Amino acid sequence: MRIGVPREIKDHEDRVGLVPSSVAELVRHGHEVQIELGAGQGSGLEDEQYVAAGATIVADVETLFATSELIVKVKEPLASERKRLSRGQVLFTYLHLAPDREQTVDLLKSGVTAIAYETVTSPSGGLPLLTPMSEIAGRLAPQVGAHYLERAQGGRGVLLGGVPGVPPAEVVVLGGGVSGTHAATIALGMGATVTVVDRSAEVLRRVAAQMPTARTIFSTHDAVSQILRRADLVIGAVLVPGAAAPKIVTRDMVKAMKSGSVIVDIAIDQGGCCETSHPTSHSHPVYSEEGVTHYCVTNMPGSVSRTSTFALNNATLPFALALADKGWKKAIADDVHLRNGLNVHDGRLTCRPVAEALDLPFSPLEALAA
């Protein structure tokens, strides 16, 4: 199979779909890999390393898209990239379609077969291709929040860890999943007072066992409203796989927060868990709403591109090999977990949460097979 890896063009997105060692593995399996010129430079990976691994460097992105059977990316294809996709191609990348009608409609029109990293599952019920980026985003969130709490950045002028005689910042983490757990761990390590909010008693027990110094609160509207009044930093880490993130934080809750406090909405890829959240970029990462600084960058892990690229490849390579070795039809027939990643095929939407979020027709896989 001929596999194409374009350079990412989203704002400050320096990750790359395949690293040289992954390319070498695919080549050993008899596949041809095309890398767009300079695609890996943002992650410290030079074209010469890809050539040594057996890849072909392609300067013209139009040629790369036109001649590749499988496109491996990191972030969702932007409008200019979507125009290059065609029926019969397979796209393997993060998609986050639930809050993005425009992208969804374009993919349906293209006829492409699109498999989303974020809805591929594991036997344990996890999301193995989303997990490494959730870990990184969670670990980034407290340090990003600490930066924007600085007075020079428009914040309250609060040091996250405090000092002897002066209390530390109050950090509230909404969601005790992968991102939330990592965010809480780092915030505690920085010396903050941390409260984790979740609607699952089982999750709260796990968090309490892992982090005895963290507070845990069962999520209700009133509980969230009260705890946010005391917060200096709120980290939104709520996830419903494939679906739009629920709006846990209302505008009224934000109005009641301290002036100069900070919200880092990790859930923004799926639309965000705050009513006042809207996507931002690394070039323009923050805005103020109701006196609260909002950081809603949709590709947070792109800021630590080398770490993120290698962590992502560790997770995606086995699935990329299966798609290339078997073809997408047999690969998803053999693996129910990869099958769960199929979001779009030949003009039909095959992910129910996305269809429900966007009020579009849903086509179950059984109908496609028939």
Side-chain angles (χ1 to χ4, degrees):
M1 183 178 286
R2 181 175 288 174
I3 302 158
V5 181
R7 180 174 57 85
E8 297 293 324
I9 61 173
K10 188 165 184 168
D11 181 74
H12 282 72
E13 183 49 76
D14 291 316
R15 290 173 287 181
V16 62
L18 293 175
V19 299
S21 60
S22 296
V23 169
E25 194 70 17
L26 286 159
V27 170
R28 275 194 288 271
H29 282 239
H31 306 294
E32 180 182 346
V33 182
Q34 303 182 119
I35 307 289
E36 185 181 352
L37 182 71
Q41 288 181 347
S43 296
L45 302 168
E46 301 299 329
D47 292 338
E48 292 77 12
Q49 294 173 264
Y50 284 106
V51 172
T56 301
I57 303 299
V58 178
D60 180 25
V61 67
E62 297 280 358
T63 299
L64 183 142
F65 271 87
T67 58
S68 297
E69 300 164 85
L70 170 63
I71 301 290
V72 179
K73 281 176 46 59
V74 177
K75 287 303 290 177
E76 73 281 353
L78 301 187
S80 61
E81 297 172 302
R82 298 196 292 268
K83 292 177 182 177
R84 301 182 180 117
L85 296 169
S86 59
R87 195 173 305 277
Q89 272 185 328
V90 178
L91 173 65
F92 191 38
T93 189
Y94 287 116
L95 292 175
H96 298 291
L97 295 179
D100 194 342
R101 175 177 289 272
E102 183 180 350
Q103 183 198 174
T104 305
V105 170
D106 284 352
L107 292 179
L108 291 169
K109 287 180 179 177
S110 74
V112 74
T113 296
I115 299 172
Y117 292 162
E118 72 273 9
T119 60
V120 174
T121 55
S122 70
S124 64
L127 302 170
L129 307 192
L130 185 61
T131 292
M133 298 305 98
S134 296
E135 292 170 341
I136 290 170
R139 286 173 174 265
L140 279 171
Q143 71 182 51
V144 167
H147 176 65
Y148 286 105
L149 277 171
E150 295 172 12
R151 188 64 182 168
Q153 306 303 321
R156 299 190 65 237
V158 173
L159 181 65
L160 207 65
V163 292
V166 181
E170 292 268 358
V171 176
V172 174
V173 180
L174 301 174
V178 175
S179 289
T181 299
H182 281 263
T185 300
I186 297 302
L188 285 169
M190 295 173 76
T193 298
V194 176
T195 302
V196 178
V197 182
D198 202 283
R199 64 179 181 180
S200 166
E202 183 180 345
V203 166
L204 295 177
R205 289 189 189 96
R206 173 180 54 75
V207 170
Q210 290 178 352
M211 294 173 277
T213 57
R215 303 171 184 164
T216 56
I217 292 180
F218 188 84
S219 181
T220 65
H221 180 88
D222 286 346
V224 173
S225 181
Q226 290 178 28
I227 193 69
L228 291 195
R229 292 173 184 269
R230 303 199 303 268
D232 297 294
L233 169 61
V234 176
I235 297 172
V238 180
L239 174 69
V240 178
K247 303 298 183 186
I248 303 298
V249 179
T250 66
R251 180 172 289 275
D252 285 343
M253 291 179 188
V254 176
K255 283 181 181 179
M257 289 176 64
K258 301 172 186 174
S259 179
S261 55
V262 176
I263 293 173
V264 177
D265 198 341
I266 299 175
I268 196 63
D269 272 328
Q270 295 294 129
C273 61
C274 304
E275 281 187 351
T276 48
S277 292
H278 63 74
T280 62
S281 68
H282 286 294
S283 292
H284 303 284
V286 296
Y287 61 91
S288 180
E289 191 81 27
E290 307 292 356
V292 175
T293 299
H294 290 59
Y295 178 97
C296 303
V297 174
T298 55
N299 58 332
M300 284 181 68
S303 65
V304 286
S305 53
R306 187 173 177 88
T307 297
S308 297
T309 289
F310 279 90
L312 182 60
N313 265 243
N314 291 343
T316 58
L317 179 58
F319 296 98
L321 281 168
L323 290 168
D325 288 348
K326 301 177 179 180
W328 75 270
K329 290 181 182 179
K330 188 170 193 316
I332 70 168
D334 289 350
D335 186 349
V336 64
H337 302 293
L338 182 57
R339 192 183 316 150
N340 290 334
L342 185 67
N343 278 214
V344 173
H345 170 64
D346 196 21
R348 286 172 283 188
L349 194 53
T350 58
C351 181
R352 186 183 295 277
V354 172
E356 291 175 349
L358 297 177
D359 194 22
L360 290 172
F362 167 65
S363 295
L365 290 178
E366 295 78 10
L368 297 182

